């Protein structure tokens, strides 16, 4: 019922937001006779702020049309590689007319960038994609808004998420021989499960796994997110945050965790900061500080755009990852698309190198939560396990912004390149019990970040892992295309 009330209220205020937008433009237009009035700037700024607070934020676009590769501007075309009921695998194709540049592009590593399904759209990783496109073939998981998925497509469970990851990895392996996986925040858990299941079956696993700011072991350094998940019962979440999609959307009747409730939770974590940001925006409008105004708009266009999550996936994630910690306890069982139940065993991973990244000031995934992956992946030799703590970086700083570009990315790039043509980890002579070798030197571009980045080798005691859920995967649809001069 709450969802219906929210949509009714949004429909009622929509005309007023449209009026506020028109009034703001009218009062700020130099051709308007009212623009010279003493209060015009204040009134225009006030109307603009009302419009921004009341408008409905749609899914943003990536808007990556070109990147610089070794001083050459390379065109980028975004396309759908695979289309699933709840997710689209997107490929960012790069085009060039220069044979030398094209040769370099074709030789670069293929990376599956797994975006979080936790409220915001995959465009939250726009900066991550743009940075990596300079030296990688980039694919990204673009999760769909559950309210737009018809009930005929079935439910979406945590098992389905894991199965999607395996399918995407196999697809990249078929196209490129093998790939590297980079997961940001929430997907670190299902990605680790997917690679573990592939390893247990004897399938080829990705060359590397890079896990950034994820709740592998949510018991370590619990944050407000972890506390909320543990202080409330499973039934509380089911009864208080799950609602049916109203009848004005394709997914009418689907049980979801609505995006507007998620957004309320995001803002409630730092209300003073958001209030101050909007007040600064109001003052910048009055001063005519166009650069600050545009920066505010870009940030909140992304931050305010949220999607609904399927209820089964959300509730199972709460129980599996936060309440019962099934991955670290070795009790996680996943049902395959064929209906076979399999135990998740990270210790079976042997031919995939592991790199974990945490932000020193991360208030969403606490210190040690991502690093815990090393204890679980005891089958990976020690010299192929690496951990990075980015000094001064918060949760978003490890994959977006200056610290991502200057601290984190140079080491992620070096780690991927190091293993792109290396022999499989299992074929190397070192055993998990051998002493770790000296830390490798940073690349020239990364050397400048040495003083602000903590990198260390990690040990890996043998630890089992696993957890149960049910899956009813929807029908799969795939789309492939090939074009000359692309990667």
């Amino acid at each position: 019922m709450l969802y219906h009330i929210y949509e009714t209220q949004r429909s009622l205020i929509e005309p007023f937001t449209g009026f506020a937008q028109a009034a703001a433009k009218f009062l700020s237009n130099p051709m308007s006779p009212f623009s010279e009035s003493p209060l015009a700037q204040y009134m225009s700024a006030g109307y603009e702020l009302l419009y921004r607070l009341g408008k409905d934020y749609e899914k943003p676009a990536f808007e990556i049309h070109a990147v610089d590769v070794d001083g050459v501007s390379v065109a980028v075309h975004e396309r759908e590689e695979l289309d699933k009921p709840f997710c689209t695998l997107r490929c960012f194709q790069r085009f060039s007319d220069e044979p030398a540049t094209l040769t370099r592009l074709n030789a670069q590593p293929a990376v599956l960038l797994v975006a979080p399904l936790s409220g915001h759209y995959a465009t939250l990783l726009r900066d991550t994609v743009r940075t990596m496109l300079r030296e990688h073939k980039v694919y990204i998981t673009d999760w769909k808004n559950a309210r737009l998925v018809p009930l005929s497509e079935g439910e979406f469970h945590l098992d389905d998420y894991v199965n999607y990851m395996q399918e995407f990895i196999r697809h990249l392996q078929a196209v490129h021989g093998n790939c590297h996986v980079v997961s940001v925040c929430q997907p670190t858990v299902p990605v680790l499960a997917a690679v573990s299941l592939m390893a247990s079956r004897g399938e080829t696993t990705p060359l590397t796994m890079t896990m950034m700011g994820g709740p592998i072991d949510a018991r370590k350094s619990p944050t407000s997110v972890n506390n909320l998940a543990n202080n409330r019962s499973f039934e509380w979440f089911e009864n208080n945050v799950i609602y049916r999609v109203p009848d004005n959307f394709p997914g009418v009747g689907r049980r979801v965790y609505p995006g507007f409730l998620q957004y309320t939770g995001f803002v409630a974590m730092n209300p003073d900061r958001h209030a101050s940001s909007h007040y600064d925006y109001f003052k910048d409008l009055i001063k005519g500080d166009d650069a600050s105004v545009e920066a505010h708009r870009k940030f909140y266009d992304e931050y305010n755009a949220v999607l609904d999550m399927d209820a089964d996936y959300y509730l199972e994630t709460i129980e599996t990852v936060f309440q019962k910690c099934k991955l670290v306890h070795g009790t996680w069982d996943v049902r395959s698309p064929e209906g076979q139940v399999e135990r998740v065993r990270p210790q079976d991973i042997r031919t995939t190198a592991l790199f974990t990244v945490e932000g020193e000031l991360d208030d969403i995934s606490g210190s040690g939560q991502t690093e815990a992956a090393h204890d679980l992946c005891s089958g990976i030799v020690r010299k192929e396990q690496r951990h990075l703590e980015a000094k001064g970086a918060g949760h978003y700083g490890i994959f977006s912004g200056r610290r991502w570009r200057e601290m984190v990315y140079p080491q992620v790039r070096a780690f991927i390149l190091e293993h792109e043509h290396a022999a499989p980890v299992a074929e190397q002579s070192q055993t998990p019990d051998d002493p770790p070798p000296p830390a490798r030197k940073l690349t020239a571009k990364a050397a400048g970040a040495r003083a602000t980045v903590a990198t260390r080798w990690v040990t890996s005691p043998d630890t089992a892992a696993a957890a149960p859920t049910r899956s009813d995967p929807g029908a799969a649809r795939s789309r492939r295309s090939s074009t000359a001069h692309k990667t």
Side-chain angles (χ1 to χ4, degrees), residues 116-119 158 161 184-190 213-234 237 257 266 269 309 312-329 331-332 362-366 369-370 395 466-469:
L117 176 53
S118 55
L158 184 56
Y161 195 125
V184 179
C185 190
Q186 165 273 324
T188 55
V189 175
I216 298 296
D217 187 350
R219 302 171 302 175
K220 298 179 179 291
S221 306
T223 63
S224 58
V225 175
N226 308 134
N227 293 332
L228 174 63
N230 286 302
N231 292 338
R232 304 288 186 179
S233 67
F234 181 89
F237 285 100
Y257 178 23
F266 298 152
M269 292 177 66
M309 289 188 284
D312 295 291
Y313 157 76
Y314 172 73
L315 293 172
E316 288 165 6
T317 298
I318 291 291
E319 181 182 49
T320 299
V321 178
F322 297 101
Q323 294 184 343
K324 294 187 177 179
C325 300
K326 293 180 179 180
L327 179 62
V328 293
H329 288 147
T331 58
W332 190 4
D362 195 332
D363 59 351
I364 294 179
S365 293
Q369 291 188 12
T370 312
H395 185 70
T469 28

Side-chain angles (χ1 to χ4, degrees), residues 126-143:
R126 183 185 294 103
D127 193 25
T128 319
V129 174
R130 184 183 290 111
T131 304
M132 297 197 73
L133 273 174
R134 299 199 300 261
E135 289 146 320
H136 305 87
K137 305 167 188 174
V138 179
Y139 297 74
I140 191 170
T141 56
D142 188 8
W143 298 101

Side-chain angles (χ1 to χ4, degrees), residues 63-338:
E63 295 183 339
I64 302 175
H65 305 298
V67 292
D68 184 273
V69 179
D70 296 332
V72 178
S73 181
V74 173
V76 177
H77 171 67
E78 177 188 331
R79 77 158 191 216
E80 293 183 1
E81 186 76 5
L82 292 176
D83 188 29
K84 306 286 290 178
F86 289 86
C87 183
T88 298
L89 178 63
R90 295 196 179 277
C91 171
F92 293 89
Q93 295 176 296
R94 299 168 301 168
F95 296 80
S96 177
D97 292 331
E98 298 186 11
T101 301
L102 183 61
T103 300
R104 287 198 299 272
L105 296 179
N106 285 328
Q108 290 176 345
V111 174
L112 172 60
L113 181 59
V114 186
L117 176 53
S118 55
H120 287 107
Y121 289 96
T123 50
L124 193 68
L125 304 188
R126 183 185 294 103
D127 193 25
T128 319
V129 174
R130 184 183 290 111
T131 304
M132 297 197 73
L133 273 174
R134 299 199 300 261
E135 289 146 320
H136 305 87
K137 305 167 188 174
V138 179
Y139 297 74
I140 191 170
T141 56
D142 188 8
W143 298 101
K144 299 180 181 180
N145 193 332
R147 73 182 184 184
L148 303 180
V149 181
L151 276 173
S152 59
E153 295 288 2
E155 299 169 343
F156 185 71
H157 295 261
L158 184 56
D159 289 355
D160 298 312
Y161 195 125
V162 175
N163 293 329
Y164 275 21
M165 294 304 100
Q166 295 178 77
E167 182 176 346
F168 294 162
I169 291 170
R170 294 187 193 109
H171 176 76
L172 266 66
Q173 290 173 336
V175 175
H176 301 288
N178 209 331
C179 66
H180 306 262
V181 180
V182 177
S183 53
V184 179
C185 190
Q186 165 273 324
T188 55
V189 175
V191 165
L192 181 55
V195 177
S196 300
L197 293 170
M198 295 177 72
S200 298
R201 297 190 210 103
E203 294 185 56
T204 301
T205 57
L207 296 170
T208 66
M209 290 188 300
T210 300
M211 299 186 169
M212 306 171 65
I216 298 296
D217 187 350
R219 302 171 302 175
K220 298 179 179 291
S221 306
T223 63
S224 58
V225 175
N226 308 134
N227 293 332
L228 174 63
N230 286 302
N231 292 338
R232 304 288 186 179
S233 67
F234 181 89
E235 291 73 20
W236 183 90
F237 285 100
E238 189 169 26
N239 295 329
N240 289 275
V241 302
I242 303 302
Y243 296 92
R244 298 276 182 181
V245 175
D247 56 9
N248 53 328
F249 296 103
V252 54
R254 179 178 296 280
R255 295 172 68 246
V256 297
Y257 178 23
F260 71 88
L261 281 182
Q262 300 170 56
Y263 175 76
T264 302
F266 298 152
V267 173
M269 292 177 66
N270 296 287
D272 295 339
R273 185 184 306 173
H274 291 288
S276 175
S277 178
H278 288 302
Y279 181 59
D280 290 340
Y281 175 65
F282 175 78
K283 293 190 294 184
D284 291 334
L285 285 168
I286 295 173
K287 292 185 297 183
D289 186 347
D290 294 337
S292 298
V293 165
E294 187 59 25
H296 176 95
R297 287 172 179 162
K298 285 184 175 180
F299 175 80
Y300 278 99
D301 281 348
E302 193 75 55
Y303 190 82
N304 293 347
V306 289
L307 53 77
D308 294 356
M309 289 188 284
D310 188 89
D312 295 291
Y313 157 76
Y314 172 73
L315 293 172
E316 288 165 6
T317 298
I318 291 291
E319 181 182 49
T320 299
V321 178
F322 297 101
Q323 294 184 343
K324 294 187 177 179
C325 300
K326 293 180 179 180
L327 179 62
V328 293
H329 288 147
T331 58
W332 190 4
D333 294 322
V334 172
R335 189 180 299 275
S336 70
E338 296 74 27

